[in-house]
């Protein structure tokens, strides 16, 4: 009785485990059940594509477990790697390893692939004998074909597989039986990746996966220690091949290497390096093997652009930095040594400049002038119209715009520092400062997005005709104005018809008056020529002007109030924007 009871318990446990395994398989992924290739057990006819559940119904639960294990064998490793360390590196070739080679595409086999143990072959027979099956190459290198017997396929090239199988079938079926054979699946392998890589280890794949796939799995080559010129593939003590990744990066040449289980990919230590900057398509850090190379070799790697005319070489000579400067046309034989820095420069004098003229006039919009041309030379070629306001011409310059942006960013950084370092006396004050700091930092981010106009005030210049123009300048001739624009902290910002009898208060009144956030003591008048006046100089108001009502600054700290006020004025003057808190 005791023996029967124990056997009953064992049977119940086994049935429970089988049901649990089936439920787990069903809940893991229905995609795994959709197209898993199931081999028929001995004695069954051929094989077919069945889901694990269907396979269990036809061949038994053991077949389902085998199928599920086959799917899980190719599952990716759960570990993640931050490839940004490669994409941000200045080493030539580092961006090659960004994780893109880990993505599995459609399986394709090259014609020179050698059949290995564990590979799966699909065969179809029709005519006098009908059969379809998938066969695995056994440890002896054979596949056992029904009615034919063992067929030796180990080491056969993929392109020759059809011919080899046909020859074996013809020994049994001399006529009326046709056969088709192809490689269905390569044997999974595990490859060691070592040397100067970011994550040395043992990585899963197939014998058809490329060298780059396994290097990418290991996080790529360590850019501070590893060599891109000498990646060695070993099998035991034998070196199978050595790969230079520059051949792939520069010429698209990558040898097809059929990796086997237990092979080793070893990245050798880095050789000498040279850093390239300036006008070059590949402004990166390059590696070279010999003690020195010529500048021509560096140019072949870096590919200088058409703008480059000269080269500056900073020599790595210990504590003293020596600088050489050459013309590219005469420096191709100059020797470059380990640690040198090469910068390709443009040492040419501009012959002409281009200036654009917008606004109200009857002339061309684009002018090509000799380098060093003056404003008077340009104005002599412009034909104004009856509506042109030549007294308020406006000049916009890129260099001024960049400088205005730099000054604004500096002021915003000072404000940000003042907000973050403000001290508090009590816990309640600290909480208020925290909330105030959050609002201020949001305002700082909004202010950073504002782009200054780069306007130069020129209409009041005593020697306007002598002003030297720069390449890329834009001259704008406004039309004679009849409006006054009111903006900033008013209820209804709008353009109002100019009335010489009106004062500043009248224009503010017709636009709804000041808002509760307005500062009535800080109203500025922006003139079309780029100059400004404050509200105390009411006689300065004329047609075409803009009245800007600035916002009130309500902060506890006097230092922060000062910084915010300065920034608001900078934005108003450089961008003509009244940015409120």
């Amino acid at each position: 009785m005791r023996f029967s009871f124990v056997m009953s318990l064992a049977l119940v446990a086994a049935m429970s485990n089988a049901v649990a395994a089936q439920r787990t398989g069903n809940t893991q992924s229905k995609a795994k059940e959709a197209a898993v290739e199931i081999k028929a057990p001995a004695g069954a006819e051929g094989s077919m594509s069945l889901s694990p559940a269907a396979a269990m119904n036809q061949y038994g639960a053991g077949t389902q477990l085998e199928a599920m294990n086959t799917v899980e064998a190719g599952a990716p490793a759960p570990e993640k790697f931050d490839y940004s360390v490669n994409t941000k590196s200045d080493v030539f070739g580092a961006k090659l390893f960004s994780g893109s080679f880990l993505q599995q595409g459609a399986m394709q086999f090259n014609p020179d692939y050698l059949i290995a143990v564990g590979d799966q072959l699909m065969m179809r027979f029709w005519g006098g004998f009908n059969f379809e099956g998938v066969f695995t190459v056994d440890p002896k290198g054979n596949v056992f074909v029904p009615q034919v017997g063992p067929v030796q396929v180990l080491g056969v090239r993929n392109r020759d597989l059809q011919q080899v199988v046909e020859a074996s079938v013809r020994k049994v079926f001399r006529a009326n039986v046709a056969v088709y054979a192809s490689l269905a699946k390569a044997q999974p392998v595990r490859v060691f990746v070592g040397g100067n890589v970011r994550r040395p280890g043992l990585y899963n794949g197939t014998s058809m996966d490329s060298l780059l796939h396994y290097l990418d799995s290991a996080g790529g080559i360590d850019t501070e220690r590893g060599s891109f010129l000498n990646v060695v593939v070993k099998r035991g003590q034998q070196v199978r091949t050595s790969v230079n990744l520059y051949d792939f990066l520069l010429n698209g040449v990558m040898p097809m290497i059929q990796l086997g289980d237990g092979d080793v990919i070893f990245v050798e230590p880095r050789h000498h390096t040279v850093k390239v900057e300036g006008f070059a398509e590949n402004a990166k850090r390059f590696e070279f093997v010999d003690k020195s190379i010529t500048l021509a070799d560096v140019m072949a790697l870096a590919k200088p652009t058409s703008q480059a005319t000269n080269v500056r070489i900073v020599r790595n000579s210990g504590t003293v930095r020596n600088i050489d400067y050459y013309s590219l046309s005469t420096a191709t034989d100059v020797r470059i040594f380990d640690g040198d820095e090469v910068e390709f420069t443009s040492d040419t004098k501009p012959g002409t400049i281009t200036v654009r003229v917008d606004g109200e006039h009857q002339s061309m919009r684009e002018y090509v002038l000799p380098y060093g041309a003056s404003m008077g030379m340009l104005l002599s070629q412009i034909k104004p119209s009856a509506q042109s306001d030549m007294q308020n011409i406006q000049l916009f310059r890129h260099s001024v715009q960049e400088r205005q942006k730099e000054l604004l960013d500096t002021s915003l950084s000072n404000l940000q520092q003042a907000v973050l370092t403000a001290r508090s006396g009590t816990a309640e004050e600290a909480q208020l400062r925290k909330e105030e700091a959050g609002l201020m930092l949001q305002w700082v981010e909004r202010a950073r997005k504002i782009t200054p106009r780069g306007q130069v005030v020129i209409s009041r210049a005593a020697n306007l005709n002598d002003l030297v123009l720069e390449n890329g300048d834009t001259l704008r001739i406004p039309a004679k104005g009849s409006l006054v624009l009111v903006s900033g902290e008013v209820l209804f910002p709008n353009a109002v018809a100019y009335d010489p009898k009106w004062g500043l208060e009248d224009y503010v009144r017709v636009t709804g008056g000041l808002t509760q956030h307005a500062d009535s003591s800080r109203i500025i008048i922006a003139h079309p020529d780029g100059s400004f006046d404050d509200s105390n100089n009411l006689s300065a108001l004329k047609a075409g002007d803009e009245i800007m009502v600035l916002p009130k600054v309500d902060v506890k700290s006097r230092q922060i109030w000062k910084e915010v006020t300065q920034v608001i004025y900078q934005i108003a003057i450089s961008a003509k924007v009244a940015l409120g808190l």
Side-chain angles (χ1 to χ4, degrees), residues 9 98 109 125 336 385 437 496 545 570:
L9 289 178
S98 60
F109 301 100
F125 297 84
I336 305 297
S385 67
V496 182
D545 288 348
Q570 277 187 263

Side-chain angles (χ1 to χ4, degrees), residues 371-410:
Y371 179 73
S374 63
M375 178 67 72
M377 183 182 299
L378 175 63
L379 293 177
S380 64
Q381 301 181 43
I382 298 175
K383 182 180 180 181
S385 67
Q387 294 298 318
S388 298
D389 186 2
M390 300 301 293
Q391 301 301 317
N392 290 312
I393 58 176
Q394 304 165 356
L395 176 64
F396 300 92
R397 180 165 288 177
H398 291 303
S399 59
V400 174
Q401 182 184 37
E402 293 173 357
R403 182 57 179 162
Q404 288 176 339
K405 182 62 175 175
E406 290 175 0
L407 294 174
L408 178 60
D409 288 341
T410 300

Side-chain angles (χ1 to χ4, degrees), residues 292-345:
S292 67
I293 57 176
T294 65
L295 182 63
D297 297 327
V298 176
M299 294 172 62
L301 297 172
K303 302 184 184 304
T305 65
S306 57
Q307 296 172 277
T309 60
N310 292 67
V311 60
R312 180 187 297 110
I313 304 174
V314 180
R315 299 294 186 181
N316 179 25
S317 52
T319 57
V320 180
R321 291 171 62 88
N322 296 319
I323 299 177
D324 297 333
Y325 194 69
Y326 303 95
S327 171
L328 285 183
S329 60
T330 61
T332 54
D333 294 331
V334 173
R335 306 300 298 185
I336 305 297
F337 298 91
D338 184 27
D340 286 352
E341 298 178 10
V342 175
E343 181 181 1
F344 295 100
T345 63

Side-chain angles (χ1 to χ4, degrees), residues 324-472:
D324 297 333
Y325 194 69
Y326 303 95
S327 171
L328 285 183
S329 60
T330 61
T332 54
D333 294 331
V334 173
R335 306 300 298 185
I336 305 297
F337 298 91
D338 184 27
D340 286 352
E341 298 178 10
V342 175
E343 181 181 1
F344 295 100
T345 63
S346 178
D347 197 356
T348 57
K349 296 180 180 179
T352 57
I353 62 173
T354 60
V355 178
R356 184 170 180 81
V357 180
D358 293 332
E360 186 66 32
H361 65 95
Q362 299 177 351
S363 309
M364 297 187 302
R365 301 290 175 178
E366 195 88 13
Y367 289 85
V368 178
L369 304 173
Y371 179 73
S374 63
M375 178 67 72
M377 183 182 299
L378 175 63
L379 293 177
S380 64
Q381 301 181 43
I382 298 175
K383 182 180 180 181
S385 67
Q387 294 298 318
S388 298
D389 186 2
M390 300 301 293
Q391 301 301 317
N392 290 312
I393 58 176
Q394 304 165 356
L395 176 64
F396 300 92
R397 180 165 288 177
H398 291 303
S399 59
V400 174
Q401 182 184 37
E402 293 173 357
R403 182 57 179 162
Q404 288 176 339
K405 182 62 175 175
E406 290 175 0
L407 294 174
L408 178 60
D409 288 341
T410 300
S411 299
L412 290 173
S413 298
N414 293 337
L415 172 60
Q416 189 173 16
Q417 182 178 4
V419 169
L420 296 176
T421 57
R423 296 183 178 181
S424 303
T426 63
E428 291 78 6
E429 184 180 357
Q431 182 62 29
L432 292 175
R433 286 282 174 85
K434 180 180 179 181
E435 296 175 357
E436 183 181 86
L439 295 175
M440 290 300 303
L441 293 178
Q442 292 179 13
W443 184 82
V444 167
E445 291 304 315
R446 285 192 292 138
R448 289 190 188 278
K449 298 178 181 179
I450 294 177
T451 303
R453 305 172 68 197
Q455 185 172 359
V456 182
V457 181
I458 61 173
S459 62
R460 301 182 184 182
N463 300 315
L464 177 61
N465 291 334
D466 296 334
L467 179 67
V468 178
L469 297 173
E470 292 184 5
N471 185 48

Side-chain angles (χ1 to χ4, degrees), residues 234-247:
K234 298 181 179 180
R235 178 167 295 174
Q237 299 297 322
Q238 179 184 3
V239 175
R240 296 185 58 198
T241 186
S242 178
V243 179
N244 183 345
L245 292 182
Y246 277 18
D247 291 338

Side-chain angles (χ1 to χ4, degrees), residues 277-297:
E277 297 176 322
F279 294 103
E281 295 179 6
N282 300 325
K284 299 290 183 179
R285 191 183 302 274
F286 294 92
E287 180 184 2
F288 57 94
V289 177
D290 297 332
K291 183 178 179 180
S292 67
I293 57 176
T294 65
L295 182 63
D297 297 327

